[in-house]
Every structure is written in C-alpha cells, then in structure tokens.
C-alpha cells in the first residue's frame, strides 16, 4: 500500500493500521527478540566458557614456549657446556658425552611438567651431536667441517633437515618450526607434527659455538591439557596463513575455519556457528607465535525448544489482533462524528476568509481544544494580514517621499550644467572646471543605490573636491596622492575620503596663507586596505580656538564612523592621530577587490541629468 492509497482511507482504518504497525507488530517483534536474545545469551555464556578454556590453553602454550627459550638460554650460559662445545678436545669423549647428556636430561625434566614427549638435540662446530635420550649422546662418525661461507657440512642426517639448513644459512639467533620427525634423534615421537625450537648457542660477543633443537609433541601436549576439562570439545591449531597444524577434520571444515580467522584476530570474544547451527566455533590469536587456536562446541547441549516458544508468540499475536479489531472500530466510531463536523466548519471558514469562529461549546474533550486552537490561529492570521497591509502602505509612502526628495537635487544639477556651459561659452575656463567638478560630487551624492565604489572613483571625487577648494582658498595649499599598485578597483565606502580631506582643510590649512600640504597614501596587505591622509596644518585644537562663535560643528567624521560600523560590523577603524605639525587620519577597512564590468571612459557631468 502506497502513501496515496493510505491517505484515501478513512480515519478509522488509518488509526487501526497505525496501531497495528506501531503497537501490535512491534510488541510481537519485541517478544520474538527477547526469545532470540535468550538464545543468544545462552550461546554467549557457552562462548565465554570456551574462550576461558582457550585462554588457559594459550597461556599454557606460551609458558611452555618461554620454558623452552629459558632452557636454551640455560645451556647457552652454562660455562661447562660452553667449554665442552667450544673446545671438545680438552675433555675425554666419554666424559664429555656423559656430562652433556646429564645436563640435557636435567633441562628436559624441567620441561616435562605437562607430561609430554620432549627431546633436546645439541651439536657443536666440530660435528659432535648430543641428544637427551637414555642411551646417551652419539657422535658423528665423520667430523663435520666448516665451509667457506661458515656453514656446517657432514654426513649426519641432523644437518640435512630443512629446518637445520635454514638455521645454518640464516642470521637469525633462533626460530620456531612445525615439522614431522626428520632424523634418527626424533624416533621416539609418533608420526605426527612436532613443535621445535631451532637456535644458535652464542657467546656474549656473538660467536656461535653450537646449535640446539628442542622438539615437543604438540598433539600430546594438547591432549594432556584438555583431558582435565569438564566440557569435552575439539581443539585445533592453525598457523598465521590458516594452514592446519593440528586439525583432524575434512578439507571443507578447514576452509570454513579459515574464514573465521580475521574476525578472531580482531575480536576474540566473537563466535561463529555452522550452517545447520549444530556447532559453535571460538578462537584466539597468539601474536607471539602468529598462530590461531580454535575449538568446536556441539550446540546440542542447549536446553529448551526455541522454535516452540516462537510459535506460541505468533499465535498470541494473531489472537490479539482479532480482539483489537473489534474494540478499535467501536472506539473510533465515537471520535469520527465530531471530527467530521469540525471539518465542515473549517471548510466554511476558509471560504469566508477567516471571518467566522467555531462554536467551541459544541465540541468536547480534545476536539474542543482543537476548535479553540483553530480560532486562535485565525485571529493571529487576521492580525498578521492587517500588519502586512499597514507595512506595505508605509513602504509606498516612504518611496513617494524619496522620489519627491530627489526632485530639488536634480533641478540643482541641471542648473549647474547650465552654468557650466554658459561659463565655457564666455571663455571662463576656471568657472567651467569648478562647475564640472562640483557636478561630479553632486552626481555621486544622488546615487543612493550604491554604498561601495571603486577606490579609483573615490580618488577622482577627492581630486574634484581639492580642485574646488584650491580655487576657494586661492591655491594656498598643495596636494599629492600616492597609491600602491593593484588597489584601483578596491571597494571603499562612497564619499568616505572627502570628509577626511575636508577635516584636514578646515581644521589645519585654512588659517595658513601659504605652504599648506595634504598627502594621501593608499597601501594594502593580504586582508586590509589602509588610507593615510596627512596635513601639515595647525591641528584641531588650534582650529577650535579660532572657530567663530555660533558656527556649528561638522558632522562628516561622525557620519563616516557610523557608516563604517554599519558596513563592516567592527572590522573597520578610523583614527585621528595628532602629529607635529598637523594631523594624520588613518582609515583601515577589509580589502575587497572588484573587477570593473564596463569600459573606462570620461563621464560627462550632464550624463545623469540627461537620463531624467
């Protein structure tokens, strides 16, 4: 059922479907989940026990491994053994054989705490071989000599084995290997794989004086440890590549176990089951040996019939649904009638533009609250509409006032253009230039749609203002403008430099008859545009003392500072710094570069007037 079909259903059917989907079915799923969780908890408990047994086996094997390493170090540090292996000719052969045999048997007894077969094979550089058997040590009939590359050569099968060849050719001091019995010194073991330590006996200076092999029957060790466990199960060993070390099962079982190894390495507490859910598999990773130890537990030990419990839950669900359908239809029918009445009234109110109220006393319970809320909503909407209409009328009145306020400036600009062309026709070039520069300033002031202009345009307005003031004060001051390369199209607030220049003139230079100077310097860094306006006048304090009584203070600087706050939200600054002589105005704003979108050209002062 799609969403459109569901929307076409009555409230009664939708309510029934909603409770069915969001109450009954979830409750049933929760019950099934609880049963499944109970089953999972039972499996988790068994898995925890299995992991504890695997950890016990892992620790036992690690202890045995450390014991074997300790045995090798014990023989390597025994001064008598070292002497007899390094210089075998100093001691009688029979005496040397009995002494080394007794030492090997002593070390062997310390390793047989798990009652497992162990054999220790020892060889020196001269080719003498000793083994921890009751029949004593044996010597190689033909002495073994050293090759030019430092490896032993001889006829004893001990040195013909793959592992011993690796030991002789390698620079490793020792390594572990899994192998089958290779020579006559391991004939006491049954035909199964052995876990052996191959090592070099070396002096503290690194000189090799002997070789050792300590072999253990890993299967016998496993049986001796697991024989005392209360829960009987199968145990397996696999190497780091997933190859079986101790695995009495078929090839498919081995492949199935290999897929579990990455998960056991990442999370030892995880377990797996087979496809028939008959066996549980647990495993641990032994990083020191790069092995995996797994066990297989039969799940027939789980008590109870989980599927029977699930069938009972499903039957209870179906019975509950049947009863619920009858009760739901009875309850919903008592709700639908007032809701339908409410729907009819709401439709009428929409047609009458929210000018009617619902009669709240005709509704009960939640439907009465709904009617009251709807009445409140319509009142709020009517108030909002009235407010929007009033704001729209205010905007229209404000727009009308703005249009009216532009009439007089436009008239003045057109009149100024008339004066300019009249002066030009009369040959009065000075008046013509003054009118033209004044027209640029008026034109910029009339353009209320732009807040930021290019620095190049703002500097042009400053030049126009300075030109007019130069005529006014009879050329008593000079001006210079220095701009860093690349700032022509930086954005700056419109008419922001003119008030600063005007401040320098009125407070610094107007009382000077000659020698006045105004310097404007524009620089930038990675984030800021900096404008410095420096004059050599008498400063604001002296200017205040000479200001005529009744003359109002200027508003240009305060107006500029307010505009900077509105435009840049505290990221711009304006500082007036007294210097001797004069005043330095420093304006810093964020650096914004805007490429021009039209071609550059000379704009006539009459251009704005001609478009009106």
């Amino acid at each position: 059922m799609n969403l459109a079909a569901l929307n076409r259903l009555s409230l009664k059917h939708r309510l029934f479907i909603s409770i069915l989907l969001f109450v009954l079915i979830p409750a049933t799923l929760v019950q099934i989940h609880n049963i499944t969780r109970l089953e999972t908890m039972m499996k988790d408990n068994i898995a925890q026990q299995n992991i504890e047994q695997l950890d016990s086996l892992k620790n036992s094997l690690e202890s045995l491994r450390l014991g074997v390493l300790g045995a090798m170090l014990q023989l390597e540090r025994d001064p008598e053994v070292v002497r007899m292996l390094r210089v075998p000719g100093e001691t009688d052969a029979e005496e040397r054989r009995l002494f080394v045999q007794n030492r090997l048997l002593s070390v062997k007894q310390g390793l047989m705490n798990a009652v497992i077969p162990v054999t220790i094979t020892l060889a020196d550089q001269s080719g003498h071989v000793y083994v921890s058997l009751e029949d004593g040590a044996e010597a190689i009939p033909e002495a073994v000599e050293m090759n030019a590359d430092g490896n032993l050569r001889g006829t004893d099968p001990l040195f013909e084995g793959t592992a011993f060849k690796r030991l002789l050719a390698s620079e490793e001091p020792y390594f572990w290997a899994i192998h089958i019995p290779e020579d006559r010194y391991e004939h006491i073991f049954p035909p199964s794989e052995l876990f052996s330590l191959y090592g070099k006996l070396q002096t503290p200076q690194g000189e090799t004086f002997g070789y050792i092999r300590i072999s253990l029957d890993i299967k016998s060790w496993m049986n001796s440890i697991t024989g005392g466990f209360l829960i009987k199960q199968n145990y397996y060993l696999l190497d780091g590549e997933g190859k079986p070390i101790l695995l009495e099962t078929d090839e498919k079982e081995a492949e199935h176990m290999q897929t579990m190894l990455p998960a056991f390495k990442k999370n030892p507490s995880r377990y797996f089951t087979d496809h028939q859910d008959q066996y549980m598999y647990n495993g641990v990773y032994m990083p020191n040996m790069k092995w995996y130890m797994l066990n297989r537990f039969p799940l027939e030990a789980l008590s109870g019939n989980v599927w029977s419990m699930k069938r009972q839950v499903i039957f209870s669900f179906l019975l509950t649904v049947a009863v619920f359908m009858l009760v739901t239809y009875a309850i919903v029918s008592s709700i639908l009638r007032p809701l339908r009445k409410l729907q009819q009234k709401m439709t009428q109110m929409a047609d009458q533009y929210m000018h009617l109220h619902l009669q709240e006393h005709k509704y009960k319970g939640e439907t009465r609250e709904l009617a009251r809320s709807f009445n409140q909503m319509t009142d709020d909407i009517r108030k909002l509409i009235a407010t929007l209409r009033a704001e729209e009328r205010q905007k229209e009145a404000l727009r009308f006032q703005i249009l009216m306020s532009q009439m007089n400036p436009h008239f003045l600009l057109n009149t100024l253009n008339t004066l300019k062309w009249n002066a030009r026709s009369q040959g009065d070039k000075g008046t013509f230039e003054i009118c033209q520069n004044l027209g640029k300033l008026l034109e910029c002031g009339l353009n209320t749609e732009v807040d930021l202009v290019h620095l190049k345009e703002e500097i042009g307005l400053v030049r126009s203002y300075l030109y007019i003031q130069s005529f006014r004060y009879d050329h008593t001051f000079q001006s210079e403008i220095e701009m860093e390369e690349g700032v022509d199209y930086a954005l700056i607030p419109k008419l922001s430099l003119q008030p600063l220049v005007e401040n320098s003139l009125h407070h610094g230079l107007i009382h000077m008859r000659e020698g006045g100077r105004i310097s404007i310097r524009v620089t930038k860094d990675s984030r800021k545009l900096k404008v410095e306006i420096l004059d050599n006048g008498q400063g604001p304090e002296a200017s205040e003392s000479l200001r005529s009584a009744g003359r109002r203070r200027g508003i240009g600087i305060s107006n500029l500072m307010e505009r900077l706050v509105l435009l840049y939200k505290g990221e711009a600054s304006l500082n007036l710094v007294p210097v001797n002589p004069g005043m330095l105005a420093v304006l810093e704003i964020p650096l914004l570069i805007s490429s021009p979108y039209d071609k550059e050209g000379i704009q006539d002062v009459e251009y704005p007037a001609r478009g009106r």
Side-chain angles (χ1 to χ4, degrees):
M1 181 182 295
N2 55 27
L3 184 59
L6 183 61
N7 291 332
R8 288 193 295 268
L9 294 176
S10 64
L11 179 61
K12 181 188 302 183
H13 294 90
R14 280 184 287 174
L15 182 59
F16 170 74
I17 294 175
S18 299
I19 298 179
L20 180 66
L21 292 177
F22 298 108
V23 178
L24 294 180
I25 292 180
T28 303
L29 295 177
V30 168
Q31 293 298 325
I32 296 176
H33 171 72
N34 291 336
I35 296 174
T36 305
R37 184 179 178 185
L38 178 61
E39 180 184 13
T40 303
M41 290 176 61
M42 298 173 65
K43 290 183 179 180
D44 289 342
N45 291 334
I46 295 175
Q48 185 62 33
Q49 296 177 6
N50 293 340
I51 292 173
E52 291 176 358
Q53 291 184 353
L54 288 174
D55 286 336
S56 177
L57 286 173
K58 173 184 174 182
N59 295 334
S60 179
L61 184 58
E62 289 287 350
S63 298
L64 181 61
R65 179 174 171 272
L66 293 176
V68 171
L69 287 172
M72 185 186 79
L73 293 177
Q74 180 181 350
L75 293 173
E76 188 179 51
R77 296 295 181 263
D78 192 322
E80 293 298 324
V81 174
V82 173
R83 182 179 62 81
M84 291 184 180
L85 293 181
R86 295 186 66 183
V87 191
E90 292 184 353
T91 309
D92 179 69
E94 183 65 16
E95 179 182 354
R96 183 179 71 248
R97 182 184 67 81
L98 292 176
F99 177 82
V100 176
Q101 176 187 355
N102 289 333
R103 290 298 174 90
L104 294 181
L105 290 174
S106 176
V107 173
K108 177 181 177 180
Q109 291 297 326
L111 294 175
M112 294 182 65
N113 54 355
V115 194
I116 57 174
V118 179
T119 183
I120 304 175
T121 307
L122 196 64
D124 59 19
Q125 294 280 26
S126 300
H128 300 93
V129 179
Y130 309 89
V131 63
S132 60
L133 301 177
E134 294 299 331
D135 57 348
E138 300 182 16
I140 298 178
E142 180 179 353
V144 180
E145 300 177 359
M146 299 294 293
N147 289 328
D149 57 359
N151 295 328
L152 288 169
R153 65 165 182 247
T155 59
D156 194 281
L158 173 68
F159 301 101
E160 298 301 324
T162 304
F164 249 113
K165 288 182 178 180
R166 173 186 167 186
L167 180 65
L168 296 175
S170 173
E171 296 182 359
E172 298 177 278
Y174 69 90
F175 62 85
W176 296 88
I178 298 293
H179 64 97
I180 60 174
E182 295 180 335
D183 49 64
R184 54 184 175 175
Y185 304 112
E186 296 177 329
H187 67 275
I188 66 167
F189 294 107
S192 63
E193 293 184 329
L194 304 179
F195 181 42
S196 299
L197 170 68
Y198 288 83
K200 299 177 182 179
L201 301 181
Q202 297 178 334
T203 63
Q205 292 76 27
E207 175 188 356
T208 301
F209 60 86
Y211 304 92
I212 188 172
R213 178 183 66 192
I214 304 178
S215 301
L216 307 98
D217 185 352
I218 194 68
K219 182 177 181 181
S220 298
W221 170 83
M222 179 72 75
N223 293 334
S224 67
I225 297 295
T226 59
F229 290 163
L230 296 178
I231 301 177
K232 301 300 180 181
Q233 47 194 303
N234 297 328
Y235 292 88
Y236 311 99
L237 286 174
L238 292 87
D239 62 14
E241 298 178 355
K243 297 180 181 179
I245 298 174
L246 183 61
L247 182 62
E248 297 181 359
T249 184
D250 56 17
E251 184 177 352
K252 292 183 178 180
E253 186 80 9
E255 294 177 356
H256 181 54
M257 289 185 179
Q258 289 173 358
T259 60
M260 310 174 190
L261 300 183
F264 289 147
K265 183 177 181 180
K266 185 177 181 181
N267 184 12
S269 62
R270 186 172 178 180
Y271 64 85
F272 292 89
T273 57
D274 60 356
H275 299 295
Q276 292 78 26
D277 206 26
Q278 295 180 348
Y279 296 98
M280 175 189 294
Y281 296 87
N282 294 93
V284 295
Y285 178 66
M286 296 179 287
N288 293 332
M289 304 169 62
K290 297 182 180 179
W291 284 7
Y292 294 90
M293 184 180 296
L294 283 72
N295 69 339
R296 187 182 71 178
F297 181 87
L299 291 178
E300 296 175 352
L302 288 176
S303 61
N305 191 339
V306 177
W307 280 108
S308 176
M309 299 172 63
K310 292 181 179 179
R311 285 194 296 270
Q312 292 179 3
V313 171
I314 295 174
F315 175 76
S316 300
F317 167 73
L318 295 177
L319 180 61
T320 304
V321 170
V323 175
F324 170 75
M325 290 178 64
L326 298 176
V327 176
T328 301
Y329 278 101
I331 296 176
V332 172
S333 297
S334 63
I335 302 175
L336 285 178
R337 284 188 293 271
L339 288 179
R340 286 173 183 157
K341 292 181 180 179
L342 179 62
Q343 180 184 9
Q344 294 174 359
K345 292 295 182 179
M346 294 172 71
T347 303
Q348 294 175 5
M349 294 176 68
D351 295 337
Q352 298 183 19
Y353 303 100
M354 303 292 180
H355 286 293
L356 290 178
H357 276 261
L358 296 178
Q359 298 180 6
E360 299 176 7
H361 65 277
K362 292 185 177 181
Y363 300 91
K364 298 180 181 180
E366 288 78 5
T367 54
R368 177 179 294 179
E369 295 296 327
L370 180 61
R372 184 180 294 113
S373 299
F374 185 80
N375 287 337
Q376 181 65 38
M377 179 189 68
T378 56
D379 291 340
D380 294 340
I381 291 176
R382 284 197 299 270
K383 293 178 181 178
L384 180 60
I385 292 174
T387 302
L388 292 176
R389 288 175 177 173
E391 291 179 354
E392 187 65 26
R393 287 193 295 269
Q394 291 176 359
K395 289 181 180 179
E396 292 177 356
L398 180 61
R399 177 63 179 170
F400 180 79
Q401 292 176 2
I402 293 175
L403 293 175
M404 291 297 298
S405 65
Q406 291 178 346
M407 295 300 295
N408 290 336
H410 293 163
F411 171 75
L412 292 176
L413 184 61
N414 292 330
T415 303
L416 182 64
N417 288 328
T418 302
L419 293 175
K420 180 192 72 171
W421 291 112
N422 182 63
R424 185 174 183 178
S425 63
Q426 298 295 328
D428 190 351
K429 184 176 180 182
T431 304
F432 173 80
E433 293 293 339
I434 292 175
C435 292
Q436 186 173 22
N437 285 283
L438 181 58
K440 292 181 181 179
L441 294 173
L442 289 176
E443 176 189 348
C444 182
L446 288 175
N447 188 3
T448 59
E449 298 179 356
V450 177
D451 293 323
L452 299 175
V453 297
H454 291 143
L455 179 62
K456 182 178 181 180
E457 299 176 14
E458 183 69 12
I459 291 296
L461 295 177
V462 171
R463 294 183 189 275
S464 298
Y465 176 76
L466 288 173
Y467 183 86
I468 295 173
Q469 296 300 326
S470 178
F471 269 91
R472 177 183 178 185
Y473 296 110
D474 197 20
H475 306 286
T476 58
F477 66 89
Q478 295 181 353
S479 63
E480 58 180 13
I481 299 176
E482 178 184 354
M483 294 176 58
E484 184 177 330
E485 184 178 356
V487 298
D488 286 351
Y489 296 104
L491 295 178
I492 190 170
K494 180 180 65 175
L495 294 177
S496 58
L497 301 185
Q498 184 269 336
L500 299 178
V501 174
E502 181 181 7
N503 186 69
S504 296
L505 286 174
H506 287 190
H507 295 285
L509 301 179
I510 60 174
H511 301 290
M512 298 177 62
R513 295 185 177 181
E514 61 181 10
R517 176 176 296 276
I518 296 179
S519 299
I520 302 176
R521 184 171 180 267
V522 183
T523 59
K524 67 177 177 69
D525 56 20
S526 60
R527 300 182 59 183
K528 291 287 186 179
L529 178 70
K530 185 176 182 180
V531 180
E532 296 178 339
I533 299 177
L534 176 66
D535 65 78
N536 63 344
Q538 55 190 352
E541 295 181 358
S543 176
E544 284 293 323
S545 62
L546 298 175
R547 185 170 64 92
S548 60
R551 182 180 177 183
R552 68 179 182 88
R553 298 180 180 270
I555 61 172
I557 299 298
S558 59
N559 179 281
L560 175 59
M561 297 182 71
E562 291 183 7
R563 285 195 291 147
L564 292 177
V565 172
L566 292 175
L567 285 173
Y568 298 108
K569 310 299 181 183
E571 296 185 9
S573 64
L574 173 61
N575 297 307
L576 301 179
V577 183
V579 295
N580 190 14
M583 176 70 70
L584 173 64
V586 181
L587 173 64
E588 288 187 341
I589 61 174
L591 178 62
L592 300 173
I593 303 296
S594 175
S595 300
Y597 58 89
D598 57 355
K599 295 183 179 180
E600 297 182 11
I602 299 176
Q603 294 185 347
D604 193 274
V605 70
E606 291 188 85
Y607 175 77
R610 287 200 290 265
R612 300 182 178 89

